[in-house]
Amino acid sequence: MEVHLRRRFNFTEIEKHPKCRQLMDGLNAVYMKRYRSRKAKEKEEFLANGGETDVARARANIPKGMSEENWNKTVDYFLTKEHKDQSCANKSNRQKQLYTNRGGSSTYSSFCFKKDKTRLEAFKNGHTLKDGRFASELEEQKYEELQAEFESQSEPNIEDEFGEGSWSQVNEVQEFEKVFGARREHYIGMGRKPSLSRFTPPSCVGPRS
């Protein structure tokens, strides 16, 4: 997967771009979303064909387009305590969500990357209806709190080693955390935190052949 991405994207040129951080976050968001979607689909296949109660039948029903070796690795992972614990934690976190992103299939990072928008604009896009109204009073309240936080900050007129706009991007993260609080592995209202090894694919589930 990493080799495929490097063939498709010229990362050397991307790293020279003044908006490198935003571009990298957008690419990483697309990459991780595709991985999560694929893993979710394989989990559905696993559960539909016996799951933990009939592992032999689950192994025998190999998804179309996937090698037997990769499918067995996937099943092995689904049976690990690590995966079971993470699934329980994810389910618990989903139940705590006060509202959902209504911005379509794009993540917050992808929306910023594709539309050249700020995180604040991405949040508004993800929590308003087609007529422009917020989906709930709570979402409107959180947006107004974020907006007030941003307006209270004055961006310094400097350009550091990361290029134009880097201070603003760091500031966005700080303001979102101030309004929403912090949660492990993702910024509330913004999406998942970028991986420390952005282009190292997760090893837990083998890709389709």
Side-chain angles (χ1 to χ4, degrees), residues 107-140:
T107 62
Y108 294 111
S109 295
S110 294
F111 178 82
C112 293
F113 170 59
K114 295 175 182 177
K115 305 292 185 178
D116 194 24
K117 299 291 186 179
T118 65
R119 296 282 186 173
L120 183 62
E121 291 171 315
F123 179 83
K124 183 176 183 180
N125 174 73
H127 297 279
T128 51
L129 304 174
K130 292 183 178 180
D131 60 5
R133 294 182 296 109
F134 279 91
S136 71
E137 291 184 4
L138 179 59
E139 287 162 289
E140 183 173 11

Side-chain angles (χ1 to χ4, degrees), residues 17 27 29 33-34 38 48 61 81 89 92 104 106 110 131 143-144 152 169 178 186:
H17 198 281
L27 289 172
K33 181 182 178 183
R34 180 164 296 185
R38 178 166 292 177
N61 285 272
K81 183 178 184 299
S92 176
S106 292
S110 294
D131 60 5
Y143 174 77
E144 291 176 351
S152 68
Q169 291 166 0
K178 186 173 182 179
H186 76 281

Side-chain angles (χ1 to χ4, degrees), residues 3-205:
V3 173
H4 174 72
L5 283 172
R6 291 192 176 280
R7 287 176 178 172
R8 186 173 181 181
F9 300 104
N10 187 337
F11 290 114
T12 301
E13 290 302 315
I14 289 175
E15 289 166 358
K16 296 178 181 177
H17 198 281
K19 293 187 177 181
C20 173
R21 185 173 300 177
Q22 182 180 354
L23 293 168
M24 286 296 198
D25 284 350
L27 289 172
N28 188 58
V30 172
Y31 179 33
M32 292 306 299
K33 181 182 178 183
R34 180 164 296 185
Y35 162 74
R36 292 193 300 271
S37 297
R38 178 166 292 177
K39 186 172 72 171
K41 184 177 180 180
E42 307 311 351
K43 183 65 175 290
E44 291 177 1
E45 295 272 2
F46 173 70
L47 295 175
N49 290 288
E52 289 186 60
T53 60
D54 193 347
V55 177
R57 181 161 70 92
R59 290 187 187 278
N61 285 272
I62 304 170
K64 184 179 179 180
M66 192 173 195
S67 71
E68 181 178 359
E69 178 184 4
N70 284 337
W71 176 239
N72 281 325
K73 289 180 180 179
T74 302
V75 172
D76 289 341
Y77 173 68
F78 290 152
L79 297 174
T80 62
K81 183 178 184 299
E82 174 193 359
H83 172 73
K84 294 176 185 178
D85 290 346
Q86 187 62 58
S87 294
C88 289
N90 291 341
K91 182 178 180 180
S92 176
N93 288 334
R94 286 193 295 269
Q95 292 173 343
K96 295 176 183 177
Q97 291 180 350
L98 301 177
Y99 37 72
T100 58
N101 178 10
R102 299 170 182 270
S105 59
S106 292
T107 62
Y108 294 111
S109 295
S110 294
F111 178 82
C112 293
F113 170 59
K114 295 175 182 177
K115 305 292 185 178
D116 194 24
K117 299 291 186 179
T118 65
R119 296 282 186 173
L120 183 62
E121 291 171 315
F123 179 83
K124 183 176 183 180
N125 174 73
H127 297 279
T128 51
L129 304 174
K130 292 183 178 180
D131 60 5
R133 294 182 296 109
F134 279 91
S136 71
E137 291 184 4
L138 179 59
E139 287 162 289
E140 183 173 11
Q141 175 189 334
K142 289 298 181 183
Y143 174 77
E144 291 176 351
E145 289 179 20
L146 278 172
Q147 194 173 39
E149 285 292 336
F150 281 113
E151 290 176 351
S152 68
Q153 302 296 321
S154 58
E155 181 173 344
N157 186 26
I158 59 174
E159 183 174 321
D160 62 16
E161 59 180 330
F162 294 110
E164 180 183 356
S166 62
W167 184 92
S168 177
Q169 291 166 0
V170 172
N171 185 59
E172 285 182 330
V173 173
Q174 294 173 342
E175 299 311 319
F176 267 82
E177 284 191 306
K178 186 173 182 179
V179 173
F180 290 96
R183 184 176 292 171
R184 184 180 179 184
E185 295 185 0
H186 76 281
Y187 299 118
I188 301 176
M190 297 181 71
R192 293 180 66 87
K193 294 180 180 179
S195 171
L196 293 177
S197 53
R198 292 178 183 272
F199 300 104
T200 301
S203 59
C204 53
V205 178

